[in-house]
Structure formats: structure tokens, C-alpha cells
Amino acid sequence: MSTVRAKKHLGQHFLNDKSAAQKIVEALEPTLGFKHVLEVGPGMGVLSDFLLQKDAYETWLIDVDDESIVFLADKYPQLDNRLIHGDFLTLDFSRFFGDKMAVIGNFPYNISSQILFKILEERQRVVQMVGMFQKEVAERCVAKPGNKEYGILSVFLQAYYDVRYLFTVKAGAFNPPPKVLSGVIKMTRNDRDRLDCDEKLFWRVVKAAFNQRRKTLRNALSAVVPKDRMSNNPLYELRAERLSVEDFVTLTNEIANAIYQNDR
């Protein structure tokens, strides 16, 4: 069986540490009730080898790389239509999966944020994600208020998922080795069916707050709601990095009321 060439434009760094691969797969929790696991960017199948040993769920693979698809089809003929040749970022999940599923992968680092936002879009279906990212991205995902790594990604992910940092993987575990360390995180859907606020406005507030993160929120959010309509809530005197998800929900509701009152 031939091998697959890692392609720089696809951000491919193939994991060749089987111990790390097994740890990533074992972090999945089928007791959450999912019956399908989708592996993103399997490459030559180091994670797939362990996934396909599991009977608790059905494993699906998706890869955009033509060469990987040919390799994987030859290696795993039993997959048949469970090997998807396509782009995860544009995948219509409803065509393939039911109400509960999990996502796993050694994700391409050049599209890490897009992958995470795709999972957020599918949050009513994706109950768990275990994945490898550049360490700095992984740290942003789990960062708490007051941490310099805490930002837009932290808030959006933690609004809907419990996010844990599992372990670090050194560059030598990959071929070719990346120039950075890698971090594995696990995201498990929390109990929030939806936020207790206007969710579209919440996203707008959070983005505006962090886009000017050096300013207090009274200044940073002035493009969302005029200062003269802001309350005396002390949260407005803080910078974005100090606020929890719940704090942002509180501010979103206040801003919604201010906008609504003005429109009456």
C-alpha cells in the first residue's frame, strides 16, 4: 500500500504516534448516546485504526484530499459510503447523521477556527468533539475570564460546551513535524439548549467587545448601543476579557432592552 504525501496547502501533518492516537480515540464517551463518529482529515488513518475497532458507534471519515481518499478506500473497503470525499466546512450534516453524533480529528491547523465554528453551527447535533489543534488555539478554547488567551472563541465555545484541555503533543509525533506544539481538547455539549438572550445579538456583542479588547465595554460597545442608553451596570467599566459567558448574556439582555425601548 502506498503512502499519502502531506500537502502544505491543506495544512497536513500526519500523526504517527499511535499511543497519542489511541488516547485521542479513548477520550470519546459513547455513554453520551451518540451512534456516529465523524473523523475529519484522517490522512492515512492513524486515528481511524482505533475508531474502527469500536462497536459502540459507527465511524465515518471525511477528507478533501483526493490522494487520501484513494488510500483510505483501499485500506478500509468496509467503509463504502461512510468514506466521504468532501469539505467538512460545507458538509450538510443532516444528509448523513441523526440527532446525536461526535466529531474527532487531527485537524488542519490552517482552518482550526473555521472547524470550530462549523461545530458550533451544528451544536444541536454534535454532542462531543475530541481534537488536536495548534497548542495556542487549544489554549484559547479552554481559557477562562481574566486569562490573556480568553477571547471570542473561548466565549462562543464555552457558551454551549464544557471544554477541557487533555494533553500536549510534541512536533516529533508528526510527519512532517510542525513548527509548533499541539494540544488535544475535548468539548462536551452542556445543558444549554439556547442562551437566555437574543443569540444573534449575543454574538454581535461578544465580537464587538473583543475587537476592541483594550477598551472598556462602555467604549467598545458604543457601536452596538449608544453610550447614553447604557445602564450603570459596572460590567460596562470592565474590559471584555474579564466577563464570563453569563456576564455577556446579562449585557446582551440590557442592550436588547435599550434598543427595543428606543424603537417603540
Side-chain angles (χ1 to χ4, degrees):
M1 185 178 291
S2 62
T3 60
V4 179
R5 293 174 295 106
K7 299 165 188 68
K8 187 174 182 179
H9 74 280
L10 293 177
Q12 291 175 327
H13 296 276
F14 297 136
L15 180 66
N16 55 24
D17 184 331
K18 292 189 176 182
S19 175
Q22 185 172 19
K23 284 172 67 177
I24 292 170
V25 171
E26 293 299 331
L28 285 170
E29 300 174 82
T31 52
L32 294 173
F34 56 80
K35 295 301 180 184
H36 299 93
V37 173
L38 176 63
E39 183 187 356
V40 180
M44 290 189 289
V46 66
L47 292 181
S48 317
D49 286 342
F50 294 103
L51 288 166
L52 289 166
Q53 294 174 21
K54 304 294 183 181
D55 296 324
Y57 47 76
E58 189 175 70
T59 297
W60 290 63
L61 312 182
I62 183 169
D63 208 305
V64 74
D65 181 18
D66 300 351
E67 193 177 7
S68 285
I69 289 293
V70 171
F71 179 91
L72 295 164
D74 184 41
K75 185 176 182 180
Y76 307 117
Q78 72 272 30
L79 283 174
D80 195 21
N81 66 343
R82 290 185 286 131
L83 175 60
I84 303 171
H85 187 188
D87 185 350
F88 174 75
L89 299 180
T90 59
L91 181 69
D92 180 358
F93 279 52
S94 65
R95 284 186 55 200
F96 303 99
F97 308 112
D99 292 338
K100 286 188 177 182
M101 64 171 296
V103 173
I104 194 169
N106 168 30
F107 298 116
Y109 295 169
N110 58 345
I111 56 168
S112 295
S113 294
Q114 294 99 307
I115 286 171
L116 289 164
F117 280 111
K118 175 68 172 179
I119 290 170
L120 275 174
E121 288 176 12
E122 298 289 343
R123 59 186 177 273
Q124 302 303 348
R125 183 174 275 111
V126 180
V127 297
Q128 190 165 68
M129 186 283 297
V130 179
M132 179 128 57
F133 299 89
Q134 183 175 330
K135 188 171 186 284
E136 287 78 4
V137 174
E139 288 173 340
R140 285 206 298 272
C141 294
V142 303
K144 298 302 181 186
N147 187 306
K148 66 178 181 178
E149 303 299 332
Y150 185 70
I152 293 174
L153 199 56
S154 319
V155 175
F156 287 165
L157 292 178
Q158 293 172 36
Y160 303 102
Y161 288 90
D162 296 323
V163 190
R164 289 177 52 208
Y165 190 98
L166 298 184
F167 58 93
T168 301
V169 181
K170 293 183 178 180
F174 300 86
N175 181 33
K179 296 179 181 179
V180 295
L181 293 175
S182 303
V184 178
I185 63 171
K186 174 159 68 173
M187 304 191 334
T188 306
R189 193 72 169 84
N190 61 26
D191 294 331
R192 284 193 186 99
D193 184 49
R194 65 178 310 281
L195 298 179
D196 295 326
C197 65
D198 179 329
E199 293 189 340
K200 287 185 178 179
L201 183 58
F202 173 85
W203 285 53
R204 186 180 169 200
V205 167
V206 173
K207 287 179 179 178
F210 281 101
N211 282 341
Q212 300 188 72
R213 62 185 300 151
R214 293 186 179 182
K215 295 183 177 181
T216 65
L217 292 172
R218 192 169 297 279
N219 292 316
L221 297 178
S222 60
V224 180
V225 60
K227 290 183 183 180
D228 60 6
R229 280 187 245 154
M230 294 180 184
S231 73
N232 293 323
N233 190 324
L235 290 175
Y236 281 116
E237 310 312 323
L238 302 177
R239 293 178 178 177
E241 65 192 35
R242 306 297 303 183
L243 272 65
S244 66
V245 171
E246 290 72 21
D247 291 333
F248 275 112
V249 168
T250 296
L251 275 191
T252 299
N253 282 324
E254 286 201 9
I255 290 169
N257 288 334
I259 293 173
Y260 172 69
Q261 286 173 0
N262 185 66
D263 292 340
R264 281 194 301 183

